[in-house]
Amino acid sequence: MNLSRTRVALLLGAAGALLLALVIVSPVLLTGIPSFVGNGGEQPDCSGGDTQNEEASDTAASDIPDDYLELYKEHGEKIGVQWNILAAVGKRETDHGRSDLPGVKSGTNHAGAAGPMQFLISTWGGKARIEVSSRFNGYASDGDGDGIGDVYNPADAILGAARMLKRNGAPENVRRALFVYNRAWWYVDQVETIAKRYAKSGEVQVPPQADDSCDDPLVEAAPSDVVAKILAYALAQRGKPYLWGGTGPDAFDCSGIIYAAYRAAGLSIPRTTFVQWPFGVKIEQGNEQPGDLVFFNSGPGTSADNPGHVGMVVSKGKMVEARCRLCGPIKVTGYETRGNIVGFTRPLQHPDVQAQLKKLQSATL
């Protein structure tokens, strides 16, 4: 998945002329253009296809309680994972909460798991009922809006399971996500078999990854040629693996791909997420544009004031990110439905970057 060499060459060759015009008029023009302007057309969805249109089979309708089926579909759509995979996990774990085994309705089982989706209490938050806040990094979730993550509440537990599957690779890499959920390949096989029975098509639908044709419109819609160069580099890394501490060319971590993309445009920004966050000028959500950074309260030792994960905005609601080792390759994903966004920044408005832009302009004279 790469842009054509001719396309990249044209972008690089045009940078000097456009950059000169932008800087001479005003440094603000380089980064102050209204968000997501460009060719005027609707931006393509580069995150893949929709997995939520799968109809329930007669088996699903007869086997899954109505309230559970509604929750599987609601939270599957909200988080972006296959509802029938969620339902299959619920079936395999506790028969959709109908099991009378220890840990399903109260207490824990021998492994310390509890609730209809059988979460380890340690991953839920250390106790079965916990007040849910933006500062919490576990899977305790509030699926019914009461402010409490209750591992025995189907609404909360199913939302938590959807978040866990999403974090670990779903919907693209379902088998990897299921293996992280319960580390046994026989378990993965059993859940997939159940999920296929629950789908009218008899399949577990996996969204296709977007190809080169999705990249060009994103680059062309960039608010400046500098941003176009940054996006061109970042998008060309899609499909490469995550590597903690990686800055390319073969693998990257979340901040490494951003650092490398800006460097490809001749600009130097901080290397790590923890330093990238205070570096850029803060942007209100809704005013972000391509090339801006979106930060998340995610990862060990992070908080609402100290985000540990970052992605780069490529179009409205979409970002390119290197998420984690078990989350699949670098790809374009959605950020608007994630509940742990800390904020947005625009590195191009930092005074140091503005000075770098002027030096680049001088070098072209």
Side-chain angles (χ1 to χ4, degrees), residues 16-320:
L18 288 176
L19 183 59
L20 174 62
L22 288 166
V23 173
I24 288 177
V25 175
S26 169
V28 176
L29 290 178
L30 184 62
T31 55
I33 298 174
S35 301
F36 309 109
V37 297
N39 57 14
E42 182 178 352
Q43 296 302 318
D45 181 355
C46 290
S47 61
D50 185 4
T51 62
Q52 299 305 319
N53 292 327
E54 181 67 73
E55 293 186 39
S57 66
D58 291 341
T59 298
S62 62
D63 186 46
I64 305 173
D66 290 344
D67 56 341
Y68 271 72
L69 182 57
E70 182 177 349
L71 288 170
Y72 292 136
K73 290 187 173 183
E74 175 187 348
H75 293 317
E77 180 176 6
K78 177 180 180 179
I79 301 302
V81 301
Q82 298 90 335
W83 73 262
N84 54 320
I85 286 290
L86 270 177
V89 170
K91 174 67 175 180
R92 176 61 185 77
E93 295 291 352
T94 67
D95 191 21
H96 310 300
R98 291 178 292 217
S99 173
D100 291 323
L101 291 173
V104 177
K105 299 179 177 67
S106 64
T108 63
N109 66 10
H110 67 282
M117 304 303 281
Q118 289 292 277
F119 269 95
L120 293 174
I121 292 297
S122 59
T123 64
W124 188 258
K127 53 185 178 180
R129 286 173 51 83
I130 185 170
E131 185 175 347
V132 175
S133 72
S134 61
R135 300 181 67 86
F136 183 73
N137 290 321
Y139 291 110
S141 302
D142 178 15
D144 58 4
D146 65 357
I148 301 295
D150 184 345
V151 75
Y152 304 108
N153 181 340
D156 297 348
I158 291 170
L159 176 57
R163 291 174 57 215
M164 186 174 185
L165 291 170
K166 179 72 173 182
R167 175 167 184 167
N168 291 301
E172 295 86 0
N173 197 330
V174 173
R175 290 184 62 82
R176 174 181 290 162
L178 289 172
F179 183 79
V180 176
Y181 200 97
N182 189 339
R183 294 178 179 274
W185 288 113
W186 58 260
Y187 175 88
V188 175
D189 292 338
Q190 288 182 7
V191 171
E192 276 198 314
T193 298
I194 297 169
K196 290 177 181 179
R197 292 173 183 163
Y198 281 165
K200 191 171 184 178
S201 68
E203 299 292 339
V204 174
Q205 297 201 8
V206 176
Q209 287 298 288
D211 57 22
D212 292 1
S213 64
C214 204
D215 291 352
D216 285 345
L218 293 172
V219 173
E220 291 168 358
S224 74
D225 191 67
V226 170
V227 174
K229 290 167 64 180
I230 293 169
L231 294 187
Y233 181 91
L235 290 168
Q237 311 316 307
R238 288 167 64 220
K240 293 183 178 180
Y242 174 94
L243 176 66
W244 187 81
T247 55
D250 299 320
F252 302 82
D253 66 11
C254 66
S255 58
I257 186 174
I258 293 168
Y259 171 79
Y262 273 76
R263 186 173 57 185
L267 303 173
S268 177
I269 65 170
R271 160 67 186 89
T272 68
T273 304
F274 296 111
V275 187
Q276 287 176 359
W277 167 241
F279 179 81
V281 173
K282 300 298 187 293
I283 302 296
E284 290 294 325
Q285 185 165 1
N287 294 329
E288 70 274 12
Q289 63 187 39
D292 291 346
L293 308 186
V294 51
F295 292 84
F296 301 88
N297 179 9
S298 176
T302 69
S303 68
D305 299 319
N306 192 37
H309 180 61
V310 62
M312 181 193 296
V313 177
V314 296
S315 68
K316 180 62 176 175
K318 303 294 181 182
M319 64 179 172
V320 60

